[in-house]
Amino acid sequence: MKRLKLGMVGGGTGAFIGAVHRIAARIDDRFELVAGALSSNPETAKQSAKELNIKEDRAYTSYTQMVEQESQREDGINAVAIVTPNFLHYPIAKSFLAAGINVICDKPMTCTLEEALSLQEIAQQSGCIFVLTHNYSAYPLVRQAKQLVTDGALGPLRLVQVEYVQDWLSTATELEGNKQAEWRSDPKRNGPGGCLGDIATHAFNLASFISGLKLNQVSADLNTFVEGRKLDDNVNAMLRFEKNVKGMLWSSQVAPGNENGLRIRIYGEKAGIEWAQENPNQLLFSPLGGAKQIITRAGATYTGAPHLVRTPGGHPEGYLEGFANIYYEAADLILAQLAGENTMQLQQASLLPGTQEGVEGLRFIEAVIASSEQDGKWIAMEPVHE
């Protein structure tokens, strides 16, 4: 099969997430990186493109130049991956969608809810595919956990507990030359939520994805423990979902001893499930009054989609493969688009995160901030437009 042509904005020398996207896009050999505006610094952009074997005539020094030229080429890109700091997601995605180019965007979708709603409308009007890389939703056993909930194996749900805990910002790393910490601690580049926007949105998305529930209300307390930091580094939130389901969310980047502690527990009347990102190839299923079961990725009790699994049971898969599953399914949508199929309907029927998840993430961020500013007052989430 001919590889799809991928472009990238951001992700040049010294960037972290760009390399993750490039590896993920190539794992299943369905994409080839052929164009890029890899840095806002023209010299860095050119050098980064050279290092990635991008031809000189497709090594752009701005995303506007890239949109203009790629949209006019007969062999133009099929999709663009946006891996810049958050404040650039909206203008870049808007430009590519307006030019009829599909978008694969890192999260959060935008910095504000107003931008998210605008981009959702632009994407719908463009007819283009828009994929948001909430990669944890594409882990094989996360998909199986969702299926267990959907099939009623847990019975009516009661409780959702989710946490995402790190320690890498326990000191003022942003003042010590750490590029990733610098922009994530800057409200102008990151948006209004620090830890909230960076990783609490992943926890919220995971809870919503597996449970299938909409969040109705939130009561939250945001903290900034590191002196002088401009954004939050710790989030505590109580959650009220639809169907009278209760929840708790804790997210922190100042919890020593935690590297990437994303963990979720969901309990229903009949059973509970538990999954942890640092041990992603096991899902615990605990029926009430019965023995706890360990479901393993690619094991005898795995019932998920075959394309989500690439190696035999017992061989660990995780972070990169989660991103790769997003790209694999995005490739399916793009190929369907090229074949003239209705990709909007196909995406809605898929498990791929898109603009709806992006809007919900920004609603969550704004509701948490509003609640914290009002000393934990319960704040209603605005109705989500289907």
Short mmCIF file of all heavy atoms in Angstrom, two decimals, residues 329-373:
data_model
loop_
_atom_site.label_atom_id
_atom_site.label_comp_id
_atom_site.label_asym_id
_atom_site.label_seq_id
_atom_site.Cartn_x
_atom_site.Cartn_y
_atom_site.Cartn_z
N GLU A 329 -5.61 4.29 12.96
CA GLU A 329 -7.03 4.49 12.72
C GLU A 329 -7.28 5.78 11.94
O GLU A 329 -8.23 5.86 11.15
CB GLU A 329 -7.78 4.47 14.04
CG GLU A 329 -7.75 3.07 14.68
CD GLU A 329 -8.35 3.03 16.07
OE1 GLU A 329 -8.72 4.10 16.61
OE2 GLU A 329 -8.47 1.92 16.62
N ALA A 330 -6.42 6.77 12.13
CA ALA A 330 -6.50 7.98 11.31
C ALA A 330 -6.23 7.65 9.84
O ALA A 330 -6.88 8.20 8.94
CB ALA A 330 -5.52 9.03 11.81
N ALA A 331 -5.27 6.77 9.60
CA ALA A 331 -4.97 6.35 8.23
C ALA A 331 -6.17 5.68 7.58
O ALA A 331 -6.47 5.91 6.40
CB ALA A 331 -3.77 5.41 8.21
N ASP A 332 -6.89 4.86 8.35
CA ASP A 332 -8.11 4.24 7.82
C ASP A 332 -9.11 5.29 7.37
O ASP A 332 -9.74 5.17 6.31
CB ASP A 332 -8.75 3.35 8.89
CG ASP A 332 -8.07 1.99 9.01
OD1 ASP A 332 -7.30 1.61 8.10
OD2 ASP A 332 -8.32 1.30 10.02
N LEU A 333 -9.28 6.34 8.19
CA LEU A 333 -10.22 7.40 7.84
C LEU A 333 -9.78 8.15 6.58
O LEU A 333 -10.60 8.46 5.71
CB LEU A 333 -10.34 8.39 9.00
CG LEU A 333 -11.24 8.01 10.18
CD1 LEU A 333 -11.24 9.14 11.21
CD2 LEU A 333 -12.67 7.73 9.72
N ILE A 334 -8.48 8.44 6.50
CA ILE A 334 -7.99 9.18 5.33
C ILE A 334 -8.14 8.35 4.06
O ILE A 334 -8.54 8.87 3.00
CB ILE A 334 -6.52 9.60 5.55
CG1 ILE A 334 -6.43 10.61 6.70
CG2 ILE A 334 -5.94 10.21 4.27
CD1 ILE A 334 -5.02 10.89 7.15
N LEU A 335 -7.86 7.07 4.14
CA LEU A 335 -8.04 6.20 2.98
C LEU A 335 -9.50 6.11 2.57
O LEU A 335 -9.83 6.09 1.38
CB LEU A 335 -7.48 4.81 3.28
CG LEU A 335 -5.96 4.71 3.40
CD1 LEU A 335 -5.53 3.34 3.91
CD2 LEU A 335 -5.31 5.00 2.05
N ALA A 336 -10.39 6.08 3.56
CA ALA A 336 -11.82 6.09 3.25
C ALA A 336 -12.21 7.41 2.58
O ALA A 336 -13.03 7.44 1.65
CB ALA A 336 -12.64 5.87 4.53
N GLN A 337 -11.61 8.50 3.05
CA GLN A 337 -11.87 9.82 2.45
C GLN A 337 -11.43 9.82 0.99
O GLN A 337 -12.15 10.31 0.11
CB GLN A 337 -11.10 10.87 3.24
CG GLN A 337 -11.22 12.29 2.71
CD GLN A 337 -10.23 13.21 3.41
OE1 GLN A 337 -9.02 13.03 3.28
NE2 GLN A 337 -10.73 14.18 4.15
N LEU A 338 -10.23 9.29 0.72
CA LEU A 338 -9.73 9.24 -0.65
C LEU A 338 -10.59 8.37 -1.55
O LEU A 338 -10.63 8.56 -2.77
CB LEU A 338 -8.28 8.73 -0.64
CG LEU A 338 -7.25 9.65 0.04
CD1 LEU A 338 -5.90 8.97 0.13
CD2 LEU A 338 -7.14 10.97 -0.72
N ALA A 339 -11.30 7.41 -0.93
CA ALA A 339 -12.18 6.52 -1.69
C ALA A 339 -13.58 7.12 -1.85
O ALA A 339 -14.46 6.49 -2.44
CB ALA A 339 -12.28 5.16 -1.00
N GLY A 340 -13.78 8.33 -1.31
CA GLY A 340 -15.05 9.01 -1.49
C GLY A 340 -16.11 8.70 -0.47
O GLY A 340 -17.28 9.04 -0.65
N GLU A 341 -15.74 8.06 0.64
CA GLU A 341 -16.71 7.71 1.67
C GLU A 341 -16.99 8.90 2.59
O GLU A 341 -16.22 9.86 2.63
CB GLU A 341 -16.21 6.51 2.49
CG GLU A 341 -16.03 5.25 1.67
CD GLU A 341 -15.60 4.07 2.53
OE1 GLU A 341 -16.19 3.88 3.61
OE2 GLU A 341 -14.66 3.35 2.13
N ASN A 342 -18.09 8.81 3.34
CA ASN A 342 -18.47 9.86 4.28
C ASN A 342 -17.65 9.70 5.55
O ASN A 342 -18.00 8.95 6.45
CB ASN A 342 -19.96 9.78 4.60
CG ASN A 342 -20.44 10.96 5.43
OD1 ASN A 342 -19.72 11.47 6.29
ND2 ASN A 342 -21.67 11.40 5.19
N THR A 343 -16.54 10.42 5.63
CA THR A 343 -15.62 10.24 6.76
C THR A 343 -16.16 10.84 8.05
O THR A 343 -15.77 10.41 9.14
CB THR A 343 -14.24 10.86 6.44
OG1 THR A 343 -14.43 12.20 5.98
CG2 THR A 343 -13.54 10.06 5.37
N MET A 344 -17.06 11.82 7.96
CA MET A 344 -17.63 12.39 9.18
C MET A 344 -18.42 11.33 9.92
O MET A 344 -18.30 11.18 11.14
CB MET A 344 -18.51 13.59 8.86
CG MET A 344 -19.04 14.32 10.09
SD MET A 344 -19.80 15.92 9.71
CE MET A 344 -18.34 16.84 9.19
N GLN A 345 -19.23 10.57 9.20
CA GLN A 345 -19.99 9.49 9.83
C GLN A 345 -19.07 8.40 10.34
O GLN A 345 -19.29 7.85 11.42
CB GLN A 345 -21.00 8.91 8.83
CG GLN A 345 -22.16 9.83 8.50
CD GLN A 345 -23.16 9.19 7.56
OE1 GLN A 345 -22.95 8.09 7.06
NE2 GLN A 345 -24.25 9.89 7.30
N LEU A 346 -18.03 8.09 9.57
CA LEU A 346 -17.09 7.05 9.99
C LEU A 346 -16.36 7.45 11.26
O LEU A 346 -16.16 6.63 12.16
CB LEU A 346 -16.08 6.77 8.87
CG LEU A 346 -16.61 6.05 7.64
CD1 LEU A 346 -15.55 5.98 6.55
CD2 LEU A 346 -17.08 4.64 8.00
N GLN A 347 -15.94 8.72 11.37
CA GLN A 347 -15.24 9.16 12.57
C GLN A 347 -16.16 9.15 13.77
O GLN A 347 -15.76 8.77 14.87
CB GLN A 347 -14.61 10.53 12.39
CG GLN A 347 -13.81 10.96 13.62
CD GLN A 347 -12.86 12.11 13.38
OE1 GLN A 347 -12.87 12.72 12.31
NE2 GLN A 347 -12.03 12.42 14.35
N GLN A 348 -17.41 9.57 13.58
CA GLN A 348 -18.36 9.55 14.69
C GLN A 348 -18.60 8.14 15.20
O GLN A 348 -18.83 7.93 16.39
CB GLN A 348 -19.67 10.19 14.26
CG GLN A 348 -19.58 11.71 14.07
CD GLN A 348 -20.85 12.31 13.51
OE1 GLN A 348 -21.74 11.60 13.03
NE2 GLN A 348 -20.95 13.63 13.57
N ALA A 349 -18.52 7.16 14.31
CA ALA A 349 -18.74 5.76 14.70
C ALA A 349 -17.49 5.11 15.26
O ALA A 349 -17.55 4.04 15.86
CB ALA A 349 -19.23 4.96 13.49
N SER A 350 -16.34 5.77 15.08
CA SER A 350 -15.08 5.21 15.55
C SER A 350 -14.83 5.60 17.01
O SER A 350 -15.60 6.34 17.61
CB SER A 350 -13.92 5.70 14.68
OG SER A 350 -13.56 7.03 15.02
N LEU A 351 -13.71 5.12 17.55
CA LEU A 351 -13.31 5.48 18.90
C LEU A 351 -12.23 6.55 18.91
O LEU A 351 -11.66 6.85 19.96
CB LEU A 351 -12.82 4.23 19.64
CG LEU A 351 -13.89 3.15 19.89
CD1 LEU A 351 -13.26 1.92 20.56
CD2 LEU A 351 -15.02 3.69 20.75
N LEU A 352 -11.95 7.12 17.75
CA LEU A 352 -10.93 8.16 17.66
C LEU A 352 -11.41 9.46 18.32
O LEU A 352 -12.52 9.91 18.07
CB LEU A 352 -10.59 8.46 16.20
CG LEU A 352 -9.57 7.56 15.52
CD1 LEU A 352 -9.50 7.90 14.03
CD2 LEU A 352 -8.20 7.73 16.17
N PRO A 353 -10.58 10.08 19.15
CA PRO A 353 -10.94 11.39 19.70
C PRO A 353 -10.86 12.46 18.62
O PRO A 353 -9.99 12.42 17.75
CB PRO A 353 -9.89 11.61 20.79
CG PRO A 353 -8.73 10.76 20.38
CD PRO A 353 -9.30 9.58 19.64
N GLY A 354 -11.81 13.40 18.69
CA GLY A 354 -11.83 14.46 17.69
C GLY A 354 -12.20 15.79 18.32
O GLY A 354 -11.88 16.06 19.49
N THR A 355 -12.89 16.63 17.56
CA THR A 355 -13.20 17.96 18.06
C THR A 355 -14.14 17.91 19.27
O THR A 355 -14.07 18.79 20.13
CB THR A 355 -13.84 18.83 16.97
OG1 THR A 355 -15.03 18.21 16.48
CG2 THR A 355 -12.87 19.04 15.81
N GLN A 356 -15.03 16.92 19.32
CA GLN A 356 -15.94 16.85 20.47
C GLN A 356 -15.17 16.66 21.77
O GLN A 356 -15.44 17.31 22.78
CB GLN A 356 -16.94 15.70 20.28
CG GLN A 356 -18.05 15.66 21.31
CD GLN A 356 -18.89 16.92 21.29
OE1 GLN A 356 -19.28 17.40 20.23
NE2 GLN A 356 -19.16 17.48 22.45
N GLU A 357 -14.19 15.76 21.74
CA GLU A 357 -13.36 15.55 22.93
C GLU A 357 -12.54 16.80 23.24
O GLU A 357 -12.28 17.12 24.41
CB GLU A 357 -12.44 14.35 22.71
CG GLU A 357 -13.14 12.99 22.75
CD GLU A 357 -13.98 12.69 21.52
OE1 GLU A 357 -13.83 13.38 20.48
OE2 GLU A 357 -14.79 11.75 21.58
N GLY A 358 -12.13 17.51 22.19
CA GLY A 358 -11.39 18.75 22.41
C GLY A 358 -12.24 19.79 23.11
O GLY A 358 -11.78 20.46 24.04
N VAL A 359 -13.48 19.94 22.68
CA VAL A 359 -14.39 20.90 23.31
C VAL A 359 -14.66 20.51 24.75
O VAL A 359 -14.64 21.35 25.66
CB VAL A 359 -15.71 20.99 22.51
CG1 VAL A 359 -16.78 21.75 23.30
CG2 VAL A 359 -15.47 21.68 21.17
N GLU A 360 -14.91 19.22 24.99
CA GLU A 360 -15.18 18.76 26.35
C GLU A 360 -13.98 19.03 27.26
O GLU A 360 -14.15 19.37 28.44
CB GLU A 360 -15.54 17.28 26.34
CG GLU A 360 -16.90 17.00 25.71
CD GLU A 360 -17.17 15.51 25.54
OE1 GLU A 360 -16.26 14.70 25.84
OE2 GLU A 360 -18.28 15.17 25.11
N GLY A 361 -12.77 18.84 26.73
CA GLY A 361 -11.57 19.10 27.52
C GLY A 361 -11.48 20.55 27.94
O GLY A 361 -11.12 20.86 29.09
N LEU A 362 -11.80 21.47 27.02
CA LEU A 362 -11.76 22.89 27.36
C LEU A 362 -12.90 23.29 28.30
O LEU A 362 -12.72 24.15 29.17
CB LEU A 362 -11.79 23.74 26.09
CG LEU A 362 -10.43 24.12 25.50
CD1 LEU A 362 -9.64 24.97 26.50
CD2 LEU A 362 -9.61 22.90 25.10
N ARG A 363 -14.05 22.66 28.17
CA ARG A 363 -15.13 22.91 29.13
C ARG A 363 -14.67 22.49 30.53
O ARG A 363 -14.94 23.18 31.52
CB ARG A 363 -16.37 22.12 28.74
CG ARG A 363 -17.12 22.65 27.53
CD ARG A 363 -18.50 22.02 27.44
NE ARG A 363 -19.14 22.29 26.16
CZ ARG A 363 -19.73 23.42 25.83
NH1 ARG A 363 -19.76 24.42 26.70
NH2 ARG A 363 -20.30 23.57 24.64
N PHE A 364 -13.99 21.36 30.60
CA PHE A 364 -13.49 20.86 31.88
C PHE A 364 -12.49 21.84 32.48
O PHE A 364 -12.57 22.19 33.66
CB PHE A 364 -12.85 19.48 31.69
CG PHE A 364 -12.18 18.94 32.90
CD1 PHE A 364 -12.91 18.50 33.99
CD2 PHE A 364 -10.79 18.85 32.96
CE1 PHE A 364 -12.28 17.99 35.12
CE2 PHE A 364 -10.16 18.34 34.08
CZ PHE A 364 -10.91 17.91 35.16
N ILE A 365 -11.54 22.31 31.70
CA ILE A 365 -10.53 23.25 32.18
C ILE A 365 -11.20 24.51 32.73
O ILE A 365 -10.89 24.97 33.84
CB ILE A 365 -9.55 23.61 31.05
CG1 ILE A 365 -8.64 22.41 30.73
CG2 ILE A 365 -8.68 24.82 31.45
CD1 ILE A 365 -7.76 22.62 29.50
N GLU A 366 -12.11 25.07 31.98
CA GLU A 366 -12.73 26.32 32.41
C GLU A 366 -13.61 26.12 33.64
O GLU A 366 -13.67 26.98 34.52
CB GLU A 366 -13.53 26.92 31.25
CG GLU A 366 -12.64 27.36 30.09
CD GLU A 366 -13.26 28.42 29.21
OE1 GLU A 366 -14.43 28.79 29.43
OE2 GLU A 366 -12.55 28.89 28.29
N ALA A 367 -14.30 24.97 33.73
CA ALA A 367 -15.14 24.70 34.90
C ALA A 367 -14.30 24.51 36.16
O ALA A 367 -14.65 25.00 37.24
CB ALA A 367 -16.00 23.46 34.66
N VAL A 368 -13.16 23.82 36.04
CA VAL A 368 -12.28 23.61 37.18
C VAL A 368 -11.72 24.94 37.67
O VAL A 368 -11.68 25.22 38.88
CB VAL A 368 -11.14 22.64 36.82
CG1 VAL A 368 -10.04 22.65 37.88
CG2 VAL A 368 -11.67 21.22 36.66
N ILE A 369 -11.27 25.78 36.76
CA ILE A 369 -10.73 27.09 37.14
C ILE A 369 -11.81 27.93 37.82
O ILE A 369 -11.57 28.54 38.87
CB ILE A 369 -10.16 27.82 35.91
CG1 ILE A 369 -8.91 27.10 35.39
CG2 ILE A 369 -9.83 29.28 36.24
CD1 ILE A 369 -8.37 27.63 34.09
N ALA A 370 -13.01 27.94 37.26
CA ALA A 370 -14.10 28.72 37.85
C ALA A 370 -14.45 28.23 39.24
O ALA A 370 -14.69 29.01 40.17
CB ALA A 370 -15.33 28.66 36.94
N SER A 371 -14.47 26.91 39.43
CA SER A 371 -14.78 26.34 40.73
C SER A 371 -13.72 26.70 41.76
O SER A 371 -14.03 27.11 42.88
CB SER A 371 -14.90 24.81 40.63
OG SER A 371 -15.08 24.23 41.90
N SER A 372 -12.45 26.55 41.37
CA SER A 372 -11.37 26.85 42.30
C SER A 372 -11.37 28.32 42.70
O SER A 372 -11.12 28.66 43.87
CB SER A 372 -10.02 26.48 41.67
OG SER A 372 -8.96 26.66 42.58
N GLU A 373 -11.66 29.19 41.75
CA GLU A 373 -11.69 30.62 42.04
C GLU A 373 -12.83 30.98 43.00
O GLU A 373 -12.79 32.03 43.65
CB GLU A 373 -11.82 31.41 40.74
CG GLU A 373 -10.55 31.40 39.89
CD GLU A 373 -10.72 32.11 38.56
OE1 GLU A 373 -11.90 32.36 38.17
OE2 GLU A 373 -9.70 32.40 37.91
#
